Amino acid sequence: MGTWWKKVAKAVQNEDEGVDRAAAEEFVRLYHAENPPAGSVRPRLRDVLMEIDQTGTYTHTPGELAFGARVAWRNSGRCIGRLYWRSLRVRDRRHVDTADGITDECVEHLRFAGNRGRIRPTITVFAPDRPGRPAARIRNEQLIRYAGHRQPDGSVVGDPLYAGLTDQARALGWPAAGGRFDVLPLLIDVKGVTELRPLPAEVIMEVPITHPHYPWFAQLGLRWHAVPVISNMCLEIGGLCYPAAPFNGWYMGTEVGARNLADHDRYDQLPLIARHLGMDTSNDRTLWRDHALVELNVAVLHSYAEAGVTMTDHHTEARRFMTHLEKEERSGRVCPADWSWIVPPLSGALTPVFHRYYDDVRLTPAFTHHPAVAAPTADRT
């Protein structure tokens, strides 16, 4: 466990302890420093610290919540697409705390953010943890992910990354179809019970993958979903953890074409594509993987454009990130960035983000990963 994570773990309340006063004060001062119309920090800080002393926690104002969510995106060192952090739409749903209510709001999030293909950066914030009362959380890494079905021979049909979550869903009674692109149901932990809720088909926007020059590409039967809504991270603002706060931007092409569909431990499509291209796959020196990877990424960008779904390419996004970096530096702020995540997984050296170092620091507000959770329990009564 790194130093930064220890600091965050200390600052964020858990089931037994209240909110860290120092973390709350740091955030309130940041909010007022960057939002002069909010007025003097002293009255608000007095009220927050008094509420913590009396209850062990405090409640963010709608303005503080929206600011905290946007700054958490601004501080996300692994995200290259932060130029538009101020445009994040914040849906305050802190009053929703049931599995049905959370599912309904996740459905509405997908509908609103999907916007018929013109993707809108959006976050939906559910109830925060309280001392002795952990709030609901979503086990799925993203609202839309594909199942991984284990086979008797040890192989996996679908996405191997989610074979474990697929096992959990099956244990809760999900009637899995066994296909390559079966959308997983939501697994929501509420009051110690894991509830399973399927998503309606009308909000699952998917893009079939075709190629502008190779008709055979359509026969591969590939597709991917349109809206990447991360759903299993804690939104940490001023010592408060919002364990269910699904948020999205839009895809960069390489996320789908160079990772999800290409990685050996995911859909592993490069050998098949190389064979269709007539390449010699017996020798690495033919660079068959590189050639196949480029064509797969051409296909992904082409397909999303044809479908009218927002997607950016890695060259454009790298330039945008450099613009964001310059803006942050002019504002006197540190711009956190993890080089290994900021540099695209395709043609990295051809992008401007490759040729410099970054401040790999961790700031708050932030999106943080939850500790590992046990297998789900279901209420069978």
Side-chain angles (χ1 to χ4, degrees), residues 4-86:
W4 172 78
W5 175 247
K6 290 180 180 178
K7 179 181 177 182
V8 170
K10 179 179 182 297
V12 178
Q13 66 182 33
N14 58 41
E15 295 182 31
D16 303 314
E17 300 176 359
V19 171
D20 183 86
R21 288 168 56 95
E25 179 174 350
E26 180 182 2
F27 170 71
V28 171
R29 292 189 180 279
L30 177 67
Y31 173 72
H32 282 260
E34 295 197 24
N35 295 273
S40 171
V41 69
R42 291 182 180 178
R44 177 57 178 156
L45 188 57
R46 181 186 62 243
D47 291 345
V48 166
L49 296 180
M50 183 181 300
E51 188 177 354
I52 292 174
D53 289 340
Q54 293 174 349
T55 68
T57 187
Y58 69 108
T59 302
H60 289 128
T61 67
E64 289 169 348
L65 181 71
F67 171 76
R70 290 172 182 138
V71 173
W73 186 14
R74 185 178 83 191
N75 288 339
S76 297
R78 292 181 169 184
C79 176
I80 194 174
R82 286 174 272 165
L83 178 60
Y84 306 110
W85 65 271
R86 294 182 186 274

Side-chain angles (χ1 to χ4, degrees), residues 33-295:
E34 295 197 24
N35 295 273
S40 171
V41 69
R42 291 182 180 178
R44 177 57 178 156
L45 188 57
R46 181 186 62 243
D47 291 345
V48 166
L49 296 180
M50 183 181 300
E51 188 177 354
I52 292 174
D53 289 340
Q54 293 174 349
T55 68
T57 187
Y58 69 108
T59 302
H60 289 128
T61 67
E64 289 169 348
L65 181 71
F67 171 76
R70 290 172 182 138
V71 173
W73 186 14
R74 185 178 83 191
N75 288 339
S76 297
R78 292 181 169 184
C79 176
I80 194 174
R82 286 174 272 165
L83 178 60
Y84 306 110
W85 65 271
R86 294 182 186 274
S87 70
L88 181 68
R89 275 80 161 183
V90 180
R91 303 177 69 242
D92 184 351
R93 298 297 185 270
R94 286 177 286 179
H95 61 284
V96 178
D97 59 3
T98 66
D100 287 340
I102 290 171
T103 301
D104 289 344
E105 291 298 340
C106 286
V107 168
E108 182 56 31
H109 181 125
L110 286 166
R111 184 178 289 114
F112 176 82
N115 192 28
R116 298 184 179 180
R118 297 176 61 87
I119 309 300
R120 294 186 278 212
T122 304
I123 184 169
T124 299
V125 184
F126 296 108
D129 285 336
R130 298 290 184 183
R133 290 185 293 141
R137 58 179 290 185
I138 300 168
R139 288 179 175 248
N140 308 60
E141 182 192 52
Q142 293 195 21
L143 293 185
I144 299 177
R145 274 307 199 214
Y146 298 115
H149 306 286
R150 301 184 197 274
Q151 303 301 299
D153 63 359
S155 64
V156 174
V157 172
D159 194 338
L161 184 62
Y162 301 106
L165 192 65
T166 303
D167 292 342
Q168 294 178 21
R170 285 177 177 273
L172 292 172
W174 181 49
R180 295 172 71 201
F181 295 97
D182 298 334
V183 175
L184 283 160
L186 298 182
L187 275 68
I188 305 171
D189 291 340
V190 181
K191 298 178 181 178
V193 175
T194 303
E195 306 256 6
L196 186 149
R197 296 291 187 275
L199 291 168
E202 60 265 24
V203 295
I204 302 172
M205 191 187 313
E206 295 178 290
V207 176
I209 306 301
T210 61
H211 196 285
H213 307 302
Y214 300 121
W216 52 260
F217 223 98
Q219 299 171 14
L220 301 180
L222 302 177
R223 64 177 184 261
W224 206 256
H225 58 93
V227 191
V229 188
I230 298 172
S231 53
N232 70 339
M233 298 184 78
C234 162
L235 169 61
E236 188 274 313
I237 304 175
L240 278 176
C241 171
Y242 295 91
F247 64 97
N248 71 276
W250 48 70
Y251 268 124
M252 185 167 72
T254 53
E255 295 178 86
V256 177
R259 300 304 309 275
N260 299 341
L261 294 176
D263 280 355
H264 179 67
D265 57 353
R266 299 293 298 283
Y267 278 84
D268 193 24
Q269 292 298 294
L270 297 186
L272 178 60
I273 293 170
R275 288 195 292 272
H276 275 82
L277 290 168
M279 300 200 69
D280 178 7
T281 60
S282 66
N283 190 332
D284 288 341
R285 292 176 65 87
T286 65
L287 301 184
W288 63 268
R289 290 186 184 86
D290 307 69
H291 190 166
L293 185 63
V294 168
E295 296 300 345

